[in-house]
Amino acid sequence: MKLMVMKNYDEISKACAGMISELVKKNSEAILGLATGSTPIGTYKELIRMHKEEGLDFSKIKSFNLDEYVGLGGDHPNSYRYFMDHELFNHINIIKDNTNVPNGKANNLEEFCKEYDEKIDRAGGVDIQILGIGSNGHIAFNEPSSELSVGTFVVSLTESTIEDNKRFFESIDDVPKKAITMGIGTIMKAKKIILLANGKSKANAIKRIVEDRKLTTEIPASLLLLHPDVTFIVDEEAYGK
Ligand code: PGA
């Protein structure tokens, strides 16, 4: 694992966007693994700037997102499809049909999950996967548990995640209780992984991974220590400085 400790959120975002743009310039048909949440917003802003000011070209890029709430359609402002359209896709020249976000309204969710993994494999696999981390150490919606799933699956969200995400909803009762998420195995298949973390609330999870260097399903992000090309880009607060 490579660790980069940056001064602040702005520097994290620029470092991550720099790594993505390097890949996109080298491979115009690269496959990006994308994340939602507040953490990657700065990275997306920087990618939009690079597209507008420097002509960074996404016309042949494909993307797969990590997760989506069950029951929310893409036109729901709290859905992750809506987030991706508004925070990134609508502002760059990526072709919408080349962007994939799990369908939270699929009729057969189990079948959808299986097909999502197959679609990623058929496309050639994710070249670079961006991840945030939950304050409880989750990645995507792989929540701390005695067991973790390998492939994409339907998960019941933990109380801590519902609590973390209620800020985006009118009330805690409006937060969906289930989501579709890539499994740890799906995430680990990416050729390169970048995990971003900023702020004090992430410090405990980061410390337990970076200092303890132990694998535990109680901190799902710790399994990333097994990946051959993973970079943690964190700010001083998330590093506990
Ligand atoms: P955040 O969420 O970026 O909104 O902090 C990260 C996550 O829960 O994975």
Side-chain angles (χ1 to χ4, degrees), residues 37-39 132-134 138 167 202:
S38 44
T39 310
I133 181 169
H138 75 199
R167 66 191 194 274
K202 309 294 171 71

Short mmCIF file of all heavy atoms in Angstrom, two decimals, residues 37-39 132-134 138 167 202, ligand 1:
data_model
loop_
_atom_site.label_atom_id
_atom_site.label_comp_id
_atom_site.label_asym_id
_atom_site.label_seq_id
_atom_site.Cartn_x
_atom_site.Cartn_y
_atom_site.Cartn_z
N GLY A 37 -20.73 10.20 -2.70
CA GLY A 37 -20.39 10.69 -1.36
C GLY A 37 -19.72 12.05 -1.48
O GLY A 37 -19.44 12.53 -2.59
N SER A 38 -19.47 12.66 -0.32
CA SER A 38 -18.88 14.00 -0.38
C SER A 38 -17.40 13.96 -0.75
O SER A 38 -16.88 14.91 -1.34
CB SER A 38 -19.09 14.73 0.95
OG SER A 38 -18.81 13.86 2.01
N THR A 39 -16.72 12.88 -0.45
CA THR A 39 -15.27 12.84 -0.65
C THR A 39 -14.82 13.07 -2.10
O THR A 39 -13.92 13.88 -2.33
CB THR A 39 -14.69 11.50 -0.13
OG1 THR A 39 -15.19 11.28 1.19
CG2 THR A 39 -13.18 11.52 -0.09
N GLY A 132 -14.18 6.11 -1.44
CA GLY A 132 -14.18 6.84 -0.18
C GLY A 132 -14.11 5.78 0.92
O GLY A 132 -13.95 4.58 0.64
N ILE A 133 -14.23 6.20 2.14
CA ILE A 133 -14.28 5.22 3.25
C ILE A 133 -15.29 5.72 4.27
O ILE A 133 -15.37 6.94 4.52
CB ILE A 133 -12.87 5.02 3.87
CG1 ILE A 133 -12.89 3.98 5.02
CG2 ILE A 133 -12.27 6.34 4.35
CD1 ILE A 133 -11.50 3.55 5.49
N GLY A 134 -16.07 4.84 4.83
CA GLY A 134 -17.02 5.24 5.87
C GLY A 134 -16.29 5.43 7.19
O GLY A 134 -15.19 4.88 7.38
N HIS A 138 -16.17 1.11 6.21
CA HIS A 138 -16.76 0.44 5.04
C HIS A 138 -16.19 1.01 3.74
O HIS A 138 -15.72 2.14 3.71
CB HIS A 138 -18.29 0.50 5.07
CG HIS A 138 -18.90 1.81 4.71
ND1 HIS A 138 -20.20 2.14 5.05
CD2 HIS A 138 -18.43 2.90 4.06
CE1 HIS A 138 -20.49 3.34 4.59
NE2 HIS A 138 -19.43 3.83 4.00
N ARG A 167 -27.90 13.08 6.50
CA ARG A 167 -27.76 14.50 6.18
C ARG A 167 -28.24 14.84 4.77
O ARG A 167 -28.53 15.98 4.47
CB ARG A 167 -26.30 14.95 6.39
CG ARG A 167 -25.28 14.34 5.44
CD ARG A 167 -23.86 14.67 5.93
NE ARG A 167 -22.82 14.41 4.94
CZ ARG A 167 -22.23 13.24 4.77
NH1 ARG A 167 -22.60 12.19 5.48
NH2 ARG A 167 -21.26 13.10 3.86
N LYS A 202 -12.76 10.23 9.81
CA LYS A 202 -12.19 9.04 9.16
C LYS A 202 -10.89 8.58 9.84
O LYS A 202 -10.34 7.54 9.48
CB LYS A 202 -11.90 9.33 7.67
CG LYS A 202 -13.07 9.93 6.90
CD LYS A 202 -14.22 8.95 6.78
CE LYS A 202 -15.48 9.57 6.22
NZ LYS A 202 -15.44 9.90 4.82
P1 PGA B 1 -18.37 10.42 2.32
O1 PGA B 1 -18.75 8.89 2.35
O2 PGA B 1 -17.48 10.61 1.12
O3 PGA B 1 -19.67 11.15 2.16
O4 PGA B 1 -17.65 10.72 3.60
C1 PGA B 1 -17.75 7.95 2.13
C2 PGA B 1 -18.31 6.56 2.25
O5 PGA B 1 -19.25 6.36 3.04
O6 PGA B 1 -17.80 5.66 1.57
#
